[in-house]
mmCIF file with all atom_site columns, all heavy atoms in Angstrom:
data_model
loop_
_atom_site.group_PDB
_atom_site.id
_atom_site.type_symbol
_atom_site.label_atom_id
_atom_site.label_alt_id
_atom_site.label_comp_id
_atom_site.label_asym_id
_atom_site.label_entity_id
_atom_site.label_seq_id
_atom_site.pdbx_PDB_ins_code
_atom_site.Cartn_x
_atom_site.Cartn_y
_atom_site.Cartn_z
_atom_site.occupancy
_atom_site.B_iso_or_equiv
_atom_site.pdbx_formal_charge
_atom_site.auth_seq_id
_atom_site.auth_comp_id
_atom_site.auth_asym_id
_atom_site.auth_atom_id
_atom_site.pdbx_PDB_model_num
ATOM   1   N N   . TYR U 1 14  ? 119.059 26.978 141.880 1.00 94.00 ? 142 TYR U N   1
ATOM   2   C CA  . TYR U 1 14  ? 118.042 26.143 141.320 1.00 94.00 ? 142 TYR U CA  1
ATOM   3   C C   . TYR U 1 14  ? 118.700 25.425 140.112 1.00 94.00 ? 142 TYR U C   1
ATOM   4   O O   . TYR U 1 14  ? 118.860 26.027 139.107 1.00 94.00 ? 142 TYR U O   1
ATOM   5   C CB  . TYR U 1 14  ? 116.784 26.967 140.834 1.00 94.00 ? 142 TYR U CB  1
ATOM   6   C CG  . TYR U 1 14  ? 116.163 27.637 141.963 1.00 94.00 ? 142 TYR U CG  1
ATOM   7   C CD1 . TYR U 1 14  ? 116.127 29.015 142.104 1.00 94.00 ? 142 TYR U CD1 1
ATOM   8   C CD2 . TYR U 1 14  ? 115.352 26.952 142.866 1.00 94.00 ? 142 TYR U CD2 1
ATOM   9   C CE1 . TYR U 1 14  ? 115.443 29.679 143.124 1.00 94.00 ? 142 TYR U CE1 1
ATOM   10  C CE2 . TYR U 1 14  ? 114.686 27.524 143.891 1.00 94.00 ? 142 TYR U CE2 1
ATOM   11  C CZ  . TYR U 1 14  ? 114.733 28.883 144.025 1.00 94.00 ? 142 TYR U CZ  1
ATOM   12  O OH  . TYR U 1 14  ? 114.097 29.530 145.056 1.00 94.00 ? 142 TYR U OH  1
ATOM   13  N N   . LEU U 1 17  ? 121.267 27.287 137.877 1.00 94.00 ? 145 LEU U N   1
ATOM   14  C CA  . LEU U 1 17  ? 121.007 28.648 138.081 1.00 94.00 ? 145 LEU U CA  1
ATOM   15  C C   . LEU U 1 17  ? 121.286 29.202 139.531 1.00 94.00 ? 145 LEU U C   1
ATOM   16  O O   . LEU U 1 17  ? 120.735 28.562 140.435 1.00 94.00 ? 145 LEU U O   1
ATOM   17  C CB  . LEU U 1 17  ? 119.547 29.104 137.683 1.00 94.00 ? 145 LEU U CB  1
ATOM   18  C CG  . LEU U 1 17  ? 119.161 30.563 137.901 1.00 94.00 ? 145 LEU U CG  1
ATOM   19  C CD1 . LEU U 1 17  ? 119.616 31.472 136.832 1.00 94.00 ? 145 LEU U CD1 1
ATOM   20  C CD2 . LEU U 1 17  ? 117.702 30.656 138.205 1.00 94.00 ? 145 LEU U CD2 1
ATOM   21  N N   . ALA U 1 19  ? 120.325 31.723 141.784 1.00 97.00 ? 147 ALA U N   1
ATOM   22  C CA  . ALA U 1 19  ? 119.300 32.855 141.945 1.00 97.00 ? 147 ALA U CA  1
ATOM   23  C C   . ALA U 1 19  ? 119.941 33.950 142.895 1.00 97.00 ? 147 ALA U C   1
ATOM   24  O O   . ALA U 1 19  ? 119.717 35.113 142.716 1.00 97.00 ? 147 ALA U O   1
ATOM   25  C CB  . ALA U 1 19  ? 118.003 32.341 142.551 1.00 97.00 ? 147 ALA U CB  1
ATOM   26  N N   . PRO U 1 38  ? 116.898 44.498 137.925 1.00 92.00 ? 166 PRO U N   1
ATOM   27  C CA  . PRO U 1 38  ? 116.027 44.075 136.921 1.00 92.00 ? 166 PRO U CA  1
ATOM   28  C C   . PRO U 1 38  ? 115.280 42.763 137.193 1.00 92.00 ? 166 PRO U C   1
ATOM   29  O O   . PRO U 1 38  ? 115.587 42.115 138.182 1.00 92.00 ? 166 PRO U O   1
ATOM   30  C CB  . PRO U 1 38  ? 117.085 43.773 135.693 1.00 92.00 ? 166 PRO U CB  1
ATOM   31  C CG  . PRO U 1 38  ? 118.374 43.888 136.239 1.00 92.00 ? 166 PRO U CG  1
ATOM   32  C CD  . PRO U 1 38  ? 118.370 44.489 137.640 1.00 92.00 ? 166 PRO U CD  1
ATOM   33  N N   . ASN U 1 39  ? 114.319 42.415 136.382 1.00 91.00 ? 167 ASN U N   1
ATOM   34  C CA  . ASN U 1 39  ? 113.612 41.149 136.599 1.00 91.00 ? 167 ASN U CA  1
ATOM   35  C C   . ASN U 1 39  ? 114.563 39.971 136.676 1.00 91.00 ? 167 ASN U C   1
ATOM   36  O O   . ASN U 1 39  ? 115.492 39.860 135.906 1.00 91.00 ? 167 ASN U O   1
ATOM   37  C CB  . ASN U 1 39  ? 112.630 40.943 135.400 1.00 91.00 ? 167 ASN U CB  1
ATOM   38  C CG  . ASN U 1 39  ? 111.511 42.016 135.392 1.00 91.00 ? 167 ASN U CG  1
ATOM   39  O OD1 . ASN U 1 39  ? 111.294 42.582 134.368 1.00 91.00 ? 167 ASN U OD1 1
ATOM   40  N ND2 . ASN U 1 39  ? 110.850 42.140 136.442 1.00 91.00 ? 167 ASN U ND2 1
ATOM   41  N N   . GLY U 1 40  ? 114.299 39.086 137.576 1.00 93.00 ? 168 GLY U N   1
ATOM   42  C CA  . GLY U 1 40  ? 115.143 37.905 137.727 1.00 93.00 ? 168 GLY U CA  1
ATOM   43  C C   . GLY U 1 40  ? 116.344 38.110 138.507 1.00 93.00 ? 168 GLY U C   1
ATOM   44  O O   . GLY U 1 40  ? 117.221 37.244 138.635 1.00 93.00 ? 168 GLY U O   1
ATOM   45  N N   . ALA U 1 41  ? 116.564 39.329 139.060 1.00 95.00 ? 169 ALA U N   1
ATOM   46  C CA  . ALA U 1 41  ? 117.913 39.605 139.760 1.00 95.00 ? 169 ALA U CA  1
ATOM   47  C C   . ALA U 1 41  ? 117.983 38.894 141.075 1.00 95.00 ? 169 ALA U C   1
ATOM   48  O O   . ALA U 1 41  ? 119.146 38.683 141.504 1.00 95.00 ? 169 ALA U O   1
ATOM   49  C CB  . ALA U 1 41  ? 117.916 41.160 140.056 1.00 95.00 ? 169 ALA U CB  1
ATOM   50  N N   . GLY U 1 42  ? 116.865 38.419 141.642 1.00 97.00 ? 170 GLY U N   1
ATOM   51  C CA  . GLY U 1 42  ? 116.980 37.687 142.913 1.00 97.00 ? 170 GLY U CA  1
ATOM   52  C C   . GLY U 1 42  ? 116.358 38.344 144.077 1.00 97.00 ? 170 GLY U C   1
ATOM   53  O O   . GLY U 1 42  ? 116.488 37.886 145.251 1.00 97.00 ? 170 GLY U O   1
ATOM   54  N N   . LYS U 1 43  ? 115.594 39.438 143.825 1.00 96.00 ? 171 LYS U N   1
ATOM   55  C CA  . LYS U 1 43  ? 115.096 40.264 144.969 1.00 96.00 ? 171 LYS U CA  1
ATOM   56  C C   . LYS U 1 43  ? 114.019 39.471 145.732 1.00 96.00 ? 171 LYS U C   1
ATOM   57  O O   . LYS U 1 43  ? 114.122 39.455 147.017 1.00 96.00 ? 171 LYS U O   1
ATOM   58  C CB  . LYS U 1 43  ? 114.390 41.513 144.374 1.00 96.00 ? 171 LYS U CB  1
ATOM   59  C CG  . LYS U 1 43  ? 115.273 42.368 143.507 1.00 96.00 ? 171 LYS U CG  1
ATOM   60  C CD  . LYS U 1 43  ? 114.648 43.571 142.846 1.00 96.00 ? 171 LYS U CD  1
ATOM   61  C CE  . LYS U 1 43  ? 113.517 43.336 141.961 1.00 96.00 ? 171 LYS U CE  1
ATOM   62  N NZ  . LYS U 1 43  ? 113.885 42.634 140.684 1.00 96.00 ? 171 LYS U NZ  1
ATOM   63  N N   . THR U 1 44  ? 113.071 38.874 145.107 1.00 95.00 ? 172 THR U N   1
ATOM   64  C CA  . THR U 1 44  ? 112.073 38.108 145.850 1.00 95.00 ? 172 THR U CA  1
ATOM   65  C C   . THR U 1 44  ? 112.668 36.938 146.555 1.00 95.00 ? 172 THR U C   1
ATOM   66  O O   . THR U 1 44  ? 112.349 36.620 147.699 1.00 95.00 ? 172 THR U O   1
ATOM   67  C CB  . THR U 1 44  ? 110.921 37.676 144.935 1.00 95.00 ? 172 THR U CB  1
ATOM   68  O OG1 . THR U 1 44  ? 110.235 38.783 144.406 1.00 95.00 ? 172 THR U OG1 1
ATOM   69  C CG2 . THR U 1 44  ? 109.892 36.769 145.676 1.00 95.00 ? 172 THR U CG2 1
ATOM   70  N N   . THR U 1 45  ? 113.625 36.293 145.907 1.00 97.00 ? 173 THR U N   1
ATOM   71  C CA  . THR U 1 45  ? 114.305 35.119 146.517 1.00 97.00 ? 173 THR U CA  1
ATOM   72  C C   . THR U 1 45  ? 115.058 35.647 147.780 1.00 97.00 ? 173 THR U C   1
ATOM   73  O O   . THR U 1 45  ? 114.968 34.883 148.809 1.00 97.00 ? 173 THR U O   1
ATOM   74  C CB  . THR U 1 45  ? 115.357 34.593 145.523 1.00 97.00 ? 173 THR U CB  1
ATOM   75  O OG1 . THR U 1 45  ? 114.643 34.155 144.321 1.00 97.00 ? 173 THR U OG1 1
ATOM   76  C CG2 . THR U 1 45  ? 115.979 33.275 146.131 1.00 97.00 ? 173 THR U CG2 1
ATOM   77  N N   . GLN U 1 85  ? 103.995 39.968 147.376 1.00 77.00 ? 213 GLN U N   1
ATOM   78  C CA  . GLN U 1 85  ? 103.870 40.558 146.067 1.00 77.00 ? 213 GLN U CA  1
ATOM   79  C C   . GLN U 1 85  ? 102.340 40.632 145.737 1.00 77.00 ? 213 GLN U C   1
ATOM   80  O O   . GLN U 1 85  ? 101.797 41.578 145.270 1.00 77.00 ? 213 GLN U O   1
ATOM   81  C CB  . GLN U 1 85  ? 104.644 39.826 145.015 1.00 77.00 ? 213 GLN U CB  1
ATOM   82  C CG  . GLN U 1 85  ? 105.053 40.628 143.851 1.00 77.00 ? 213 GLN U CG  1
ATOM   83  C CD  . GLN U 1 85  ? 106.166 39.967 143.105 1.00 77.00 ? 213 GLN U CD  1
ATOM   84  O OE1 . GLN U 1 85  ? 106.579 38.900 143.340 1.00 77.00 ? 213 GLN U OE1 1
ATOM   85  N NE2 . GLN U 1 85  ? 106.609 40.628 142.042 1.00 77.00 ? 213 GLN U NE2 1
ATOM   86  N N   . GLU U 1 171 ? 107.373 44.526 146.328 1.00 95.00 ? 299 GLU U N   1
ATOM   87  C CA  . GLU U 1 171 ? 106.574 45.297 145.290 1.00 95.00 ? 299 GLU U CA  1
ATOM   88  C C   . GLU U 1 171 ? 105.143 45.690 145.775 1.00 95.00 ? 299 GLU U C   1
ATOM   89  O O   . GLU U 1 171 ? 104.224 45.416 145.123 1.00 95.00 ? 299 GLU U O   1
ATOM   90  C CB  . GLU U 1 171 ? 106.495 44.493 143.942 1.00 95.00 ? 299 GLU U CB  1
ATOM   91  C CG  . GLU U 1 171 ? 107.833 44.234 143.376 1.00 95.00 ? 299 GLU U CG  1
ATOM   92  C CD  . GLU U 1 171 ? 107.802 43.663 142.005 1.00 95.00 ? 299 GLU U CD  1
ATOM   93  O OE1 . GLU U 1 171 ? 106.860 44.038 141.179 1.00 95.00 ? 299 GLU U OE1 1
ATOM   94  O OE2 . GLU U 1 171 ? 108.616 42.857 141.609 1.00 95.00 ? 299 GLU U OE2 1
ATOM   95  N N   . HIS U 1 202 ? 109.831 48.228 141.942 1.00 91.00 ? 330 HIS U N   1
ATOM   96  C CA  . HIS U 1 202 ? 110.219 48.668 140.618 1.00 91.00 ? 330 HIS U CA  1
ATOM   97  C C   . HIS U 1 202 ? 109.916 50.137 140.399 1.00 91.00 ? 330 HIS U C   1
ATOM   98  O O   . HIS U 1 202 ? 110.459 50.784 139.478 1.00 91.00 ? 330 HIS U O   1
ATOM   99  C CB  . HIS U 1 202 ? 109.546 47.839 139.502 1.00 91.00 ? 330 HIS U CB  1
ATOM   100 C CG  . HIS U 1 202 ? 110.190 46.475 139.294 1.00 91.00 ? 330 HIS U CG  1
ATOM   101 N ND1 . HIS U 1 202 ? 111.428 46.280 139.073 1.00 91.00 ? 330 HIS U ND1 1
ATOM   102 C CD2 . HIS U 1 202 ? 109.557 45.249 139.347 1.00 91.00 ? 330 HIS U CD2 1
ATOM   103 C CE1 . HIS U 1 202 ? 111.734 45.005 139.024 1.00 91.00 ? 330 HIS U CE1 1
ATOM   104 N NE2 . HIS U 1 202 ? 110.592 44.397 139.116 1.00 91.00 ? 330 HIS U NE2 1
HETATM 105 P P1  . LIG E 2 .   ? 111.108 40.186 139.533 1.00 74.25 ? 560 LIG E P1  1
HETATM 106 O O1  . LIG E 2 .   ? 111.568 41.665 139.594 1.00 74.25 ? 560 LIG E O1  1
HETATM 107 O O2  . LIG E 2 .   ? 110.732 39.777 138.185 1.00 74.25 ? 560 LIG E O2  1
HETATM 108 O O3  . LIG E 2 .   ? 110.134 39.817 140.567 1.00 74.25 ? 560 LIG E O3  1
HETATM 109 P P2  . LIG E 2 .   ? 113.291 39.086 141.137 1.00 74.25 ? 560 LIG E P2  1
HETATM 110 O O4  . LIG E 2 .   ? 114.477 39.994 141.133 1.00 74.25 ? 560 LIG E O4  1
HETATM 111 O O5  . LIG E 2 .   ? 112.374 39.157 142.322 1.00 74.25 ? 560 LIG E O5  1
HETATM 112 O O6  . LIG E 2 .   ? 112.464 39.330 139.805 1.00 74.25 ? 560 LIG E O6  1
HETATM 113 P P3  . LIG E 2 .   ? 113.467 36.291 141.701 1.00 74.25 ? 560 LIG E P3  1
HETATM 114 O O7  . LIG E 2 .   ? 111.966 36.090 141.613 1.00 74.25 ? 560 LIG E O7  1
HETATM 115 O O8  . LIG E 2 .   ? 114.115 36.293 143.025 1.00 74.25 ? 560 LIG E O8  1
HETATM 116 O O9  . LIG E 2 .   ? 113.819 37.578 140.920 1.00 74.25 ? 560 LIG E O9  1
HETATM 117 O O10 . LIG E 2 .   ? 114.146 35.203 140.845 1.00 74.25 ? 560 LIG E O10 1
HETATM 118 C C1  . LIG E 2 .   ? 115.568 35.042 140.633 1.00 74.25 ? 560 LIG E C1  1
HETATM 119 C C2  . LIG E 2 .   ? 115.875 33.989 139.645 1.00 74.25 ? 560 LIG E C2  1
HETATM 120 O O11 . LIG E 2 .   ? 115.630 32.699 140.267 1.00 74.25 ? 560 LIG E O11 1
HETATM 121 C C3  . LIG E 2 .   ? 115.096 34.062 138.410 1.00 74.25 ? 560 LIG E C3  1
HETATM 122 O O12 . LIG E 2 .   ? 115.861 33.612 137.290 1.00 74.25 ? 560 LIG E O12 1
HETATM 123 C C4  . LIG E 2 .   ? 113.978 33.054 138.586 1.00 74.25 ? 560 LIG E C4  1
HETATM 124 O O13 . LIG E 2 .   ? 113.505 32.512 137.335 1.00 74.25 ? 560 LIG E O13 1
HETATM 125 C C5  . LIG E 2 .   ? 114.650 31.990 139.431 1.00 74.25 ? 560 LIG E C5  1
HETATM 126 N N1  . LIG E 2 .   ? 113.773 31.248 140.349 1.00 74.25 ? 560 LIG E N1  1
HETATM 127 C C6  . LIG E 2 .   ? 113.008 31.829 141.362 1.00 74.25 ? 560 LIG E C6  1
HETATM 128 N N2  . LIG E 2 .   ? 112.320 30.859 142.056 1.00 74.25 ? 560 LIG E N2  1
HETATM 129 C C7  . LIG E 2 .   ? 112.594 29.682 141.467 1.00 74.25 ? 560 LIG E C7  1
HETATM 130 C C8  . LIG E 2 .   ? 112.218 28.321 141.555 1.00 74.25 ? 560 LIG E C8  1
HETATM 131 N N3  . LIG E 2 .   ? 111.317 28.055 142.561 1.00 74.25 ? 560 LIG E N3  1
HETATM 132 N N4  . LIG E 2 .   ? 112.653 27.369 140.762 1.00 74.25 ? 560 LIG E N4  1
HETATM 133 C C9  . LIG E 2 .   ? 113.560 27.746 139.759 1.00 74.25 ? 560 LIG E C9  1
HETATM 134 N N5  . LIG E 2 .   ? 113.916 28.960 139.520 1.00 74.25 ? 560 LIG E N5  1
HETATM 135 C C10 . LIG E 2 .   ? 113.575 29.981 140.287 1.00 74.25 ? 560 LIG E C10 1
#
Side-chain angles (χ1 to χ4, degrees):
Y142 295 111
L145 173 84
N167 294 127
K171 304 177 298 293
T172 296
T173 304
Q213 208 163 3
E299 294 189 40
H330 284 305

